[in-house]
């Protein structure tokens, strides 16, 4: 009976040796350069696997040993970018004012600025988000971000709504992420208005705060 090799369609090969790791890293770096150049030129993430292989100095066949198709290349690229966002979140948490509203304001301003600076790239990413975020490896990174946010909230339990901290973190993280990308798609010029980051911070605090909702009038 033929022995199963344990591989699955669309899976990214895990490098086992130093040379393999170097090759995979070169391919990942090349994909970043190709996709970002394509986005800046207004072509979305239109770079081909052949272009990535050429930039990395490998054959297309070698590239496909690590990334079975262009979708896998894009998914890995976006996952790397998202992991950089998580690192930014960790850095901000370490230096930000521990007053919760100030922390939310700092984080909101930082992420809006990140998108403004790389607007063409993020505009190219938006149409792909649903498919990419459903991938198991990307979903794991998203969950790490939620766990990080829940950890941020721990010192403020007395000020929060009476729900599990993980539920609050999940709601705010996905809610604000959806809002940012919706504005990027439909009203991108608003991103450069300072009031938008303030809106995000106020919205997050509205989700989280146990203080009574103010009555109108």
């Amino acid at each position: 009976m033929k022995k199963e090799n344990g591989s699955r369609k669309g899976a990214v090969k895990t490098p086992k040796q130093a040379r393999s790791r170097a090759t995979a890293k070169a391919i990942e770096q090349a994909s970043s350069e190709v996709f970002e150049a394509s986005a800046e030129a207004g072509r979305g993430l239109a770079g081909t696997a052949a272009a990535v292989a050429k930039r990395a100095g490998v054959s297309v066949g070698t590239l496909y040993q690590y990334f079975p198709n262009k979708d896998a290349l894009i998914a890995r690229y976006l996952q790397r970018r998202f992991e950089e966002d998580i690192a930014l979140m960790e850095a901000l948490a370490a230096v930000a004012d521990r007053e919760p509203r100030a922390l939310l304001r700092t984080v909101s301003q930082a992420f809006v600025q990140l998108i403004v600076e790389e607007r063409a790239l993020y505009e190219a990413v938006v149409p792909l988000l649903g498919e990419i975020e459903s991938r198991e490896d990307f979903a794991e990174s998203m969950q790490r971000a939620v766990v990080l946010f829940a950890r941020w909230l721990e010192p403020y339990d007395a000020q929060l709504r009476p729900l599990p901290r993980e539920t609050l973190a999940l709601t705010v993280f996905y809610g604000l992420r959806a809002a940012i990308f919706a504005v990027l798609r439909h009203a991108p010029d608003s991103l450069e208005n300072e009031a938008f980051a303030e809106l995000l911070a106020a919205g997050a605090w509205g989700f989280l705060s146990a203080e009574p909702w103010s009555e109108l009038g």
Side-chain angles (χ1 to χ4, degrees), residues 13-27 66:
K13 178 181 177 181
T14 302
K16 299 297 184 182
Q17 300 175 350
R19 184 174 179 181
S20 294
R21 287 195 297 270
T23 299
K25 185 174 181 179
I27 293 170
Y66 295 90

Side-chain angles (χ1 to χ4, degrees), residues 190 192-200:
S190 294
E192 300 194 43
N193 188 325
E194 293 181 2
F196 179 63
E198 188 70 17
L199 171 65
L200 293 178

Side-chain angles (χ1 to χ4, degrees), residues 66-145:
Y66 295 90
F67 299 91
N69 49 51
K70 182 181 173 182
D71 287 347
L73 269 174
I74 292 175
R76 178 57 184 153
Y77 167 66
L78 295 181
Q79 184 179 359
R80 287 175 64 211
R81 293 299 302 247
F82 185 63
E83 288 170 354
E84 291 173 2
D85 293 346
I86 294 176
L88 173 61
M89 291 171 66
E90 291 174 332
L92 289 171
V95 302
D97 190 320
R98 297 309 298 173
E99 199 281 322
R101 282 166 290 197
L103 178 59
L104 291 171
R105 184 177 291 109
T106 299
V107 172
S108 296
Q109 290 170 343
F111 278 104
V112 171
Q113 185 61 32
L114 179 67
I115 290 177
V116 167
E117 290 175 354
E118 301 195 55
R119 178 170 157 180
L121 175 64
Y122 281 96
E123 285 177 334
V125 164
V126 167
L128 306 172
L129 284 177
E131 179 180 351
I132 297 302
E133 290 183 358
S134 66
R135 292 174 59 97
E136 182 178 349
D137 48 0
F138 200 93
E140 289 174 357
S141 294
M142 297 280 282
Q143 182 57 31
R144 281 174 49 218

